[in-house]
Amino acid sequence: MTQTGIPYVFMRGGTSRGPYFNRADLPEDLDTLAEVLLAVVGSGHKINIDGIGGGVAVTTKVAMLSPSDDDWADVDYFFAQVSVEDRLVDFKPTCGNILSGVGPAAIEMGLVTPTGEETEVKIRSVNTGAQVLARVQTPNGKMRYDGDAAIAGVPGTAAPIALNFMGVVGSSTGAFLPTGNLRDTFDGIEVTCMDVAMPMVIARASDFGLTGYESVETLNANTDLFARMEAIRLQAGAAMGMGDVTKSVTPKFGLLAPPKDGGTICTRYFMPWTTHPSMAVTGSQCLASCALTPGTVADGLLDRPDTSPANVVLEHASGTIEVLVDFEMNNSFSLNSAGLLRTARKLADGMVYVPGSVWKGH
């Protein structure tokens, strides 16, 4: 059986990596699309030996781009999280780190034309409806990847990409607090269920007998912790109106602790069945919003900023990430927008091949 070649750009976006496709080059129906993405990544094997995945969840992500029919946006960004081993594709969440590469990839694909030394790319997240304004460096009308910006979890420096997220409150569930409560209790653990850019279940590390400063390796070896978190996540997902989330990567789980390295608050983020090596861009917005909201499980863990915009510095397993939060505090917390600095780099382009038995092409 012949193979089917699909054009792609291979990008590092933030602290994630994956193929970026033109949506028009892929199957329309989601079932066939899922099979194609499983073959591209090589899902089903722990090191994705028969695909281009990297054997961990942050390297089995896929971006699909298309011209937007939205009056505001230039580009539609459709995201898929492909599992490493379980042959599952989740089209529900989005990924802010992969989104970091959408502006550059759209320019590389010819979907967006550079407009000067800096190009603004207006991106609509198909998965969540969020609007994101990305500013990328395009001197002389060409994408620039080298620069002086550094982000935790990525070696070296690169050109800065400024992201401003809007319309991210209730992006998956339709509500800032999907259960209607600032705190809920499941299996004796207090949590805050919040939906800002990413629906999350957030708890205090100390309630699990942790400091919150544990390494990724230590947390991943703690099978009892993951069993407890998953049991709570399933109950919280139902309470958040998300139904049975057994096979979905959302809601994600997060833990909070007092800061120890000069940040606003210390965090650990889960994907949800492994520990994130650094921090998700979407998760950072939700955790920052939780930190800023009185009455959540963050109470007592930080000196809460009360003026807007607030620069919330989240300590994570690889360093820190800063979220500039524009908010209002009247009777309750209200988010206007969240800004972050990321980087991206084009790694390869060309054709990626899947067996013809999976898809024969258009």
Side-chain angles (χ1 to χ4, degrees), residues 33-297:
L33 176 61
E35 291 299 317
V36 167
L37 299 186
L38 290 169
V40 165
V41 166
S43 177
H45 187 276
K46 65 181 180 179
I47 61 169
N48 304 139
I49 194 67
D50 202 34
I52 61 172
V56 291
V58 294
T59 61
T60 55
K61 299 170 181 274
V62 178
M64 296 160 280
L65 311 185
S66 56
S68 182
D69 57 8
D70 182 90
D71 290 340
W72 178 84
D74 300 314
V75 178
D76 279 352
Y77 158 53
F78 183 36
F79 172 74
Q81 176 68 65
V82 183
S83 68
V84 175
E85 295 188 69
D86 298 333
R87 292 188 56 78
L88 297 173
V89 180
D90 197 344
F91 294 112
K92 292 179 183 177
T94 190
C95 174
N97 274 302
I98 287 293
L99 189 148
S100 307
V102 168
I107 290 171
E108 296 281 2
M109 292 178 186
L111 297 174
V112 170
T113 302
T115 56
E117 295 297 295
E118 183 178 83
T119 298
E120 289 189 349
V121 183
K122 296 176 180 177
I123 303 164
R124 180 176 74 105
S125 171
V126 174
N127 306 71
T128 65
Q131 296 177 329
V132 184
L133 180 63
R135 293 185 178 90
V136 299
Q137 306 299 303
T138 53
N140 302 314
K142 301 290 185 181
M143 267 306 309
R144 178 188 176 194
Y145 293 106
D146 64 302
D148 298 325
I151 60 174
V154 176
T157 61
I161 297 173
L163 301 175
N164 192 37
F165 290 78
M166 299 159 284
V168 293
V169 174
S171 57
S172 294
T173 65
F176 176 59
L177 297 169
T179 68
N181 305 315
L182 285 163
R183 300 190 193 197
D184 295 280
T185 301
F186 301 103
D187 292 350
I189 300 289
E190 270 195 329
V191 301
T192 291
C193 298
M194 187 170 282
D195 184 2
V196 177
M198 177 67 67
M200 287 192 66
V201 184
I202 305 167
R204 291 178 294 262
S206 59
D207 288 346
F208 286 91
L210 302 171
T211 64
Y213 314 133
E214 288 82 2
S215 69
V216 171
E217 294 74 19
T218 298
L219 291 170
N220 282 341
N222 191 338
T223 55
D224 289 342
L225 168 66
F226 277 88
R228 293 179 70 191
M229 286 194 301
E230 183 66 2
I232 293 169
R233 192 183 77 90
L234 297 181
Q235 295 173 67
M240 295 166 76
M242 301 178 69
D244 181 1
V245 298
T246 305
K247 294 185 177 180
S248 176
V249 297
T250 58
K252 300 291 177 67
F253 213 102
L255 296 177
L256 301 178
K260 70 166 186 172
D261 293 320
T264 306
I265 196 165
C266 185
T267 63
R268 290 296 183 266
Y269 184 77
F270 302 87
M271 299 187 292
W273 304 300
T274 58
T275 311
H276 199 291
S278 55
M279 174 55 64
V281 167
T282 47
S284 72
Q285 296 169 65
C286 195
L287 289 165
S289 297
C290 182
L292 290 172
T293 304
T296 68
V297 293

